[in-house]
């Protein structure tokens, strides 16, 4: 099999490329990336060591695709992933990458009759609807109530039939627009596709920032003895997310690649689920236990733009279709990331501090 992974030097793309090459040494895997994100250059030697061919290219450029060899499948893992991207009034890079870039990827896949696996995001779900959900305040976290005002929401989390009306961030909108186009290519061009709406993805080799990659950021700030803050919702740190280890995501992508007919045309939520969820307060406690460090955390009551109180993935549909469910919990994720920081401290310090 020949595969193209876009965003192939990014955290998710490189992790998938390396895992696929390790498990299928005979596969030809091309990792395409524009190396815009700081830290992605550290993955080039890792890709080369495993025998993944790196191609310096930009999905915004149709010409860069013209120079690529044909493949059997495309894993579209490229994105401007920040939920705050474009909110400063200049959304051009965001839209050109996340929407028009996807069009170039789709046309390339169509040209070579390649399957198309798309990594979308839970951020396609509208902010105000999520914020209007019924919740209970527990000692260390907010939790979703059983009874909800809209379909697709329960104490288990958010399912695929959650309403899509309303603003969701420019980032989420570009991903949803891409989803709509993918469905058209599937229906009218016969392109085999699957869309995965991922929750928070994390693990070693993620270059965490405040607006994307919060898990690594939280652990790194503890590791390097720096300050953090509980922003919004009263400054209590009770807002929650579920965390999906990139190795768990790989297992799903691997299954889909080799059983695409069973998920062709599907939209699937994929996240850590309730079992692998944590509030910032709970995450802080685990970070303290794993790193042995306690750092100052300020409380800021004011809620930031585009933030949400809670998001947990309901994996019921993807588990029923594929048998997949995440296996790696929060503590193991923290331990792995802390070990990675220790092993690569000199390289990571200027990026993550």
């Amino acid at each position: 099999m020949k595969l193209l992974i876009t965003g192939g030097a990014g955290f998710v793309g490189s992790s998938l490329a390396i895992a696929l090459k390790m498990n299928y040494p005979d596969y030809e895997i091309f990792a395409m990336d524009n190396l815009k994100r700081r830290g992605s250059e550290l993955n080039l030697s890792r890709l080369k060591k495993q025998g993944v061919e790196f191609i310096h290219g930009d999905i915004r450029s149709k010409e860069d695709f013209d120079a690529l060899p044909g493949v059997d499948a495309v894993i579209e893992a490229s994105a401007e992933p920040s939920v705050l991207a474009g909110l400063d009034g200049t959304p051009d890079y965001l839209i050109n990458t996340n929407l028009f870039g996807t069009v170039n990827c789709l046309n390339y896949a169509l040209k070579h009759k390649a399957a198309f696996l798309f990594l979308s995001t839970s951020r396609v779900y509208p902010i105000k609807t999520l914020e209007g959900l019924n919740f209970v305040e527990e000692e260390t976290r907010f939790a979703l109530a059983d009874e909800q005002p809209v379909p697709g929401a329960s104490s288990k989390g958010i399912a695929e039939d959650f309403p899509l009306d309303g603003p969701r961030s420019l980032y989420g909108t570009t991903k949803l627009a891409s989803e709509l186009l993918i469905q058209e290519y599937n229906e009218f061009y016969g392109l085999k596709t699957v869309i995965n709406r991922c929750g928070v993805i994390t693990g070693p080799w993620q270059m965490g920032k405040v607006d994307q990659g919060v898990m690594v950021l939280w652990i790194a700030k503890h590791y390097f003895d720096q300050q953090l803050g509980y922003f919004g919702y009263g400054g209590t740190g009770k807002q929650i997310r579920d965390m999906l280890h990139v190795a768990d995501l790989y297992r799903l992508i691997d299954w889909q690649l080799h059983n695409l007919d069973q998920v062709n045309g599907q939209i699937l939520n994929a996240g850590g689920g309730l079992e692998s969820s944590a509030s910032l307060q709970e995450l802080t406690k685990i970070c303290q236990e794993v790193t042995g460090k306690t750092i100052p955390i300020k409380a800021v009551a004011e809620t930031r733009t585009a933030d949400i109180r809670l998001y947990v993935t309901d994996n019921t549909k993807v588990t029923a279709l594929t048998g997949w469910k995440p296996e790696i919990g929060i503590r193991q994720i923290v331990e792995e990331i802390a070990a990675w920081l220790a092993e690569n401290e000199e390289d990571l310090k200027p990026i993550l501090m």
Side-chain angles (χ1 to χ4, degrees), residues 153-216:
S154 69
S155 58
K156 289 192 296 185
I158 307 302
E160 292 82 356
D161 56 339
F162 192 85
L164 291 174
D165 293 337
R168 73 210 75 241
S169 78
L170 287 166
Y171 162 64
T173 297
T174 59
K175 299 298 274 188
L176 181 59
S178 292
E179 285 189 14
L180 294 171
L181 283 169
I182 290 165
Q183 291 174 77
E184 299 298 318
Y185 275 65
N186 177 274
E187 176 70 20
F188 295 107
Y189 294 141
L191 192 68
K192 288 186 177 181
T193 66
V194 62
I195 294 166
N196 296 295
R197 289 178 178 162
C198 300
V200 176
I201 308 170
T202 192
W205 295 102
Q206 184 176 38
M207 306 302 162
K209 301 190 296 183
V210 68
D211 55 339
Q212 198 274 329
V214 66
M215 186 85 169
V216 169

Side-chain angles (χ1 to χ4, degrees), residues 10 35 62 65 80 93 96 104 107 130 158 190 205 212 244 251-252 257 274 282 318:
L35 300 179
K62 182 183 177 298
F65 283 95
E80 166 49 67
Y93 179 78
N96 288 335
N104 288 334
N107 288 335
L130 288 169
I158 307 302
W205 295 102
Q212 198 274 329
L244 179 63
R251 290 190 303 105
L252 177 62
L257 266 177
L274 204 54
E282 292 163 351
V318 69

